[in-house]
Amino acid sequence: MGDVDKVGGKNASLGEMISNLADAGVKVPGGFATTAQAYRDFLDHGGLSEKINAALDALDADDTRALIETGSQIRGWIMDAEFQPELEDAINTAYAEMSGDNSNISVAVRSSATAEDLPDASFAGQQETFLNIRGLDNIKHAIKEVFASLYNDRAISYRVHKGFVHADVALSAGIQQMVRSETGASGVMFTLDTESGFNHVVFITAAYGLGETVVQGAVNPDEFYVYKPTLAQGTPAILRRTLGSKAIKMVYTDDGSAGKAVETVDVPMADRQKFCINDADVEQLARIAVIIEKHYGRPMDIEWAKDGDDGELYVVQARPETVRSQGNATVIERYLLKEKGKILVEGRSIGHRIGAGPVRIVSGLEAMHEVQPGDVLVTDMTDPDWEPVMKRAAAIVTNRGGRTCHAAIIARELGIPAIVGCGDATERLQNGQVVTVSCAEGDTGRAYEGQLEFEHQTNSVEQMPSLPFHVMMNVGNPDRAFDFQALPNAGVGLARLEFIINRMIGVHPKALLNFDDQPRDVKQIIERRIAGYASPVDFYVDKLVEGISTLAAAFYPKKVILRMSDFKSNEYGHLIGGDRYEPGEENPMLGFRGAARYISDDFRDCFELECRALKRVRDEMRLTNVEIMVPFVRTPGEAKQVVDLLESNGLKRGENGLRLIMMCEIPSNALLADQFLEHFDGFSIGSNDLTQLTLGLDRDSGIIAHLFDERNDAVKRLLAMAIEACRKQGKYVGICGQGPSDHPDLARWLMEQGISSVSLNPDSVLDTWFFLANETPA
């Protein structure tokens, strides 16, 4: 790595890994590199240095038409120039040594700039890469193309934007033996979460064929998160899997010359419907990533390839991650959408920000000058060529692309919200239409109709004032777990399993258990949902495991109190296939829900799937910070039955540190608190249901909604009884209902009653915390 000034960041890094990490199991294909000095001598030999500098000095890089003309002129000069004899001879010698007896060796010719891959600037995709180049003459032509690419439009603009002097940047060409990933798979991995900066995971993307489709954003790849701490222990460590469409792949042609050596072809439908690498590959890639990160001592951005012939995994590039790792961890930046509108398109979100403006649909580079400051740039896919106009846009929306493509990296670096992989955004959005692009709601980014109100906040969380109880959070959405863990917190007081079922599964468990009995149309819908998983039931359990383990890993070792599913019959009925299995109830809020559902003959097999998932998370993945919460327990008899049922499914209270918490949300729970506490390790108060059942009102009824108030004296008396009973027995008591999030004065009252913890919605954590700190006597 001390040779960046000689061969650029990319080639220096490849040499570093070949020299130092081969024995650690990191395989890097060999090759050779031309030096930065060779490049400078090449320009001097052809008398180009002064001409190029003069042309760039006269250029206004924000004038896109002038930028295009000047870049094209300079590249033409370079392609027409001859190599100096010393460089010609050196390339001949190095190629002969590399190829040996194989005159048809296939190589990648990559660029490596002396200013790229620095800790504060990625230069991602600024120069060209040529794959499957064969034959010495073709390699020399590709090297010249690489030299010329230092002056493509995006590279010139990026250097100006980053404050680099053009003449100070030189280029090295790396000639590296190809990995046969055209018959395997390839992708990109980061040693942190690219959106939140959470550094305990490796984020991996993967697609079939050569890696350029992933890097360019031409394909929507598979995605995986791997948890580093459990990976190091040798336990199952894959937290999440997301199946990408992977519609195309890049493969070799028979022509080994630059520009003609590769082509993109369609991926067969059967291959699209499964993950392109297996779990063993995913975990091995993560181990490689951790080795590289440890060696470099910083978060890394790594390109990898799986050889379809020998089945081995190779690293073809590694550079410092330059966006999230540069952030200030003590300052929390929050974008909050204050209203919702009609959703026009959805895709993968890049950057947790919000932007709004008129749509500008751009079909190609030739029209990019049409983008005005504040426009929402909409196109099929952006690549780094678009960088000159990306920084003008309020937001970016694309049909294609994944979260690790070059355009996504640039968008993050520029601080611009982007939604990639929407599929048909250019068809569904119209020029001039005002939209709000929100990337602040999790993995899914949405473009809403109209200009919606949103709020941008920054808060320093370096030194939060102390409080006499713990502030926990209500978190249902695993998509946001890595974000929310950065807020000040003592863990998760309420993780809603039904949110995972709704968002990540969407199918009634009975329809999966009885898949063969479903009507044909329902079967087809379910088959699309479960693509990539071994069976319908495996899909249900695996997705529960993914959602639970993501929440557990994000907050580890803090407690994550997971409430078992608490759908009502009408909500279960809305899931795919659910209408066949749910009763029609006049008042589902007071019907077949919670503990009564779990112990019933009709639902017990579904509940056992939830238990199976929880047991895997706690026992196999060793995420023992997950605790179980049982909702809507009407009688002490029901309490005992549920606890016995959990034990029969391998979830015994007290075993392996397992605590069982009961939702205290029915007046009988507070009135008979001592009896219920015989079976549980504490209460988590659900103030929503407790209020409606105490006051006898339906919180879903708009007519009487104004009467709903958790601060009513009758409700507070029951709250006080529940808190006192738990304190007497030395057991946990928290509150996870909406009340403290909506009413900081209620949170203060609970604090005075001696509650153990208050669990708040993430968007109210900071405001409530500071409010309570100001109210607490010094």
Side-chain angles (χ1 to χ4, degrees), residues 473-478 484 492-504 544 547-548 551 560-568 598 610 627 629 631 663 685-688 699 735-739 741 759-762:
M473 280 192 286
N474 300 332
V475 180
N477 185 355
F484 292 151
V492 177
L494 171 62
R496 300 178 177 91
L497 197 65
E498 63 270 13
F499 202 107
I500 296 170
I501 295 169
N502 206 29
R503 287 281 295 247
M504 298 176 67
L544 287 179
I548 298 165
L551 291 167
V560 172
I561 301 175
L562 179 82
R563 186 176 72 189
M564 307 301 273
S565 63
D566 193 27
F567 277 140
K568 291 78 180 170
Y598 307 156
E610 298 178 25
E627 302 187 335
M629 178 149 64
M663 281 286 278
I685 299 166
S687 57
N688 294 4
R699 61 186 165 108
I735 186 166
C736 60
Q738 185 73 23
S741 295
S759 194
L760 303 167
N761 294 338

Side-chain angles (χ1 to χ4, degrees), residues 50 69 109 182 202 279 281 321 345 359 374 378 383 431 559 588 614 636 689 704 708 742:
E50 291 180 7
E69 290 171 10
V109 182
E182 66 148 350
V202 177
D279 284 1
D281 289 334
E321 193 279 338
V345 295
V359 167
V378 180
D383 61 37
N431 260 326
K559 300 295 186 189
L614 253 169
D689 276 357
I704 52 171
F708 186 92
D742 290 344

Side-chain angles (χ1 to χ4, degrees), residues 145-467:
E145 291 268 18
V146 162
F147 286 178
S149 72
L150 192 59
Y151 299 99
N152 59 37
D153 309 336
R154 66 197 183 215
I156 295 170
S157 172
Y158 189 88
R159 288 195 294 273
V160 170
H161 177 67
K162 283 286 183 182
F164 286 92
V165 177
H166 296 293
D168 289 350
V169 183
L171 210 65
S172 162
I175 295 81
Q176 185 179 26
Q177 188 162 347
M178 287 287 292
V179 176
R180 288 300 301 266
S181 59
E182 66 148 350
T183 56
S186 54
V188 180
M189 54 185 176
F190 286 81
T191 61
L192 46 60
D193 175 38
T194 53
E195 300 310 309
S196 66
F198 181 62
N199 63 1
H200 292 301
V201 290
V202 177
F203 176 52
I204 299 169
T205 59
Y208 295 110
L210 305 179
E212 284 301 290
T213 54
V214 177
V215 172
Q216 292 169 357
V219 71
N220 299 335
D222 296 336
E223 295 181 356
F224 308 90
Y225 282 102
V226 183
Y227 189 48
K228 292 177 188 173
T230 46
L231 182 74
Q233 296 168 11
T235 53
I238 300 173
L239 298 178
R240 300 191 65 183
R241 304 166 184 81
T242 304
L243 189 73
S245 55
K246 307 180 299 293
I248 58 170
K249 65 177 178 177
M250 185 179 283
V251 296
Y252 292 173
T253 68
D254 293 331
D255 188 330
S257 60
K260 300 177 183 176
V262 293
E263 63 180 347
T264 53
V265 298
D266 291 339
V267 172
M269 189 56 69
D271 288 340
R272 299 183 200 185
Q273 295 295 313
K274 60 187 180 185
F275 292 105
C276 63
I277 53 176
N278 59 34
D279 284 1
D281 289 334
V282 172
E283 293 196 343
Q284 180 59 21
L285 282 169
R287 279 189 282 271
I288 290 168
V290 170
I291 291 167
I292 293 171
E293 178 182 50
K294 186 176 179 183
H295 179 76
Y296 284 89
R298 57 173 304 110
M300 298 296 287
D301 166 358
I302 301 159
E303 291 180 29
W304 62 272
K306 180 178 182 179
D307 193 306
D309 293 351
D310 65 19
E312 296 286 349
L313 296 164
Y314 295 88
V315 170
V316 296
Q317 195 179 134
R319 56 176 167 246
E321 193 279 338
T322 58
V323 181
R324 296 304 320 190
S325 55
Q326 299 298 304
N328 184 346
T330 64
V331 174
I332 301 289
E333 183 179 58
R334 297 187 296 160
Y335 281 78
L336 304 172
L337 198 60
K338 306 296 282 186
E339 54 182 335
K340 295 287 180 77
K342 179 184 176 184
I343 297 172
L344 301 176
V345 295
E346 292 185 335
R348 306 295 279 166
S349 64
I350 306 297
H352 295 302
R353 298 177 179 232
I354 299 173
V359 167
R360 179 70 56 195
I361 298 174
V362 180
S363 56
L365 279 172
E366 66 285 348
M368 69 180 184
H369 62 276
E370 296 172 3
V371 178
Q372 301 301 309
D375 281 355
V376 173
L377 169 61
V378 180
T379 187
D380 181 50
M381 60 180 259
T382 60
D383 61 37
D385 283 327
W386 294 72
E387 193 271 342
V389 295
M390 286 169 77
K391 60 177 178 276
R392 292 185 204 164
I396 299 163
V397 181
T398 72
N399 292 342
R400 293 189 284 160
R403 283 168 46 197
T404 58
C405 68
H406 278 144
I409 294 170
I410 299 297
R412 283 189 206 100
E413 209 167 284
L414 295 173
I416 297 166
I419 308 175
V420 299
C422 295
D424 54 0
T426 50
E427 296 168 26
R428 297 179 65 172
L429 300 177
Q430 297 168 0
N431 260 326
Q433 177 182 23
V434 175
V435 298
T436 299
V437 173
S438 172
C439 295
E441 300 167 80
D443 282 356
T444 302
R446 299 178 178 90
Y448 293 97
E449 188 173 52
Q451 178 120 14
L452 303 182
E453 185 184 351
F454 65 90
E455 189 178 324
H456 176 213
Q457 302 176 351
T458 55
N459 296 91
S460 174
V461 295
E462 194 164 13
Q463 287 185 311
M464 296 297 288
S466 61
L467 294 173

Side-chain angles (χ1 to χ4, degrees), residues 763-778:
D763 60 2
S764 65
V765 165
L766 294 176
D767 294 340
T768 306
W769 193 310
F770 287 121
F771 170 84
L772 293 173
N774 291 333
E775 295 284 319
T776 305

Side-chain angles (χ1 to χ4, degrees), residues 27 46 101 408 476-477 520 544 557 595 618 755 758:
K27 296 181 177 175
D101 296 333
N477 185 355
R520 187 161 173 252
L544 287 179
R618 283 184 50 86
I755 201 161
V758 171

Side-chain angles (χ1 to χ4, degrees), residues 48 74 144 150 174 183 382 463 475 533 611 634:
L48 295 180
I74 294 172
K144 212 177 283 186
L150 192 59
T183 56
T382 60
Q463 287 185 311
V475 180
Y533 291 83
C611 294
R634 292 180 170 96

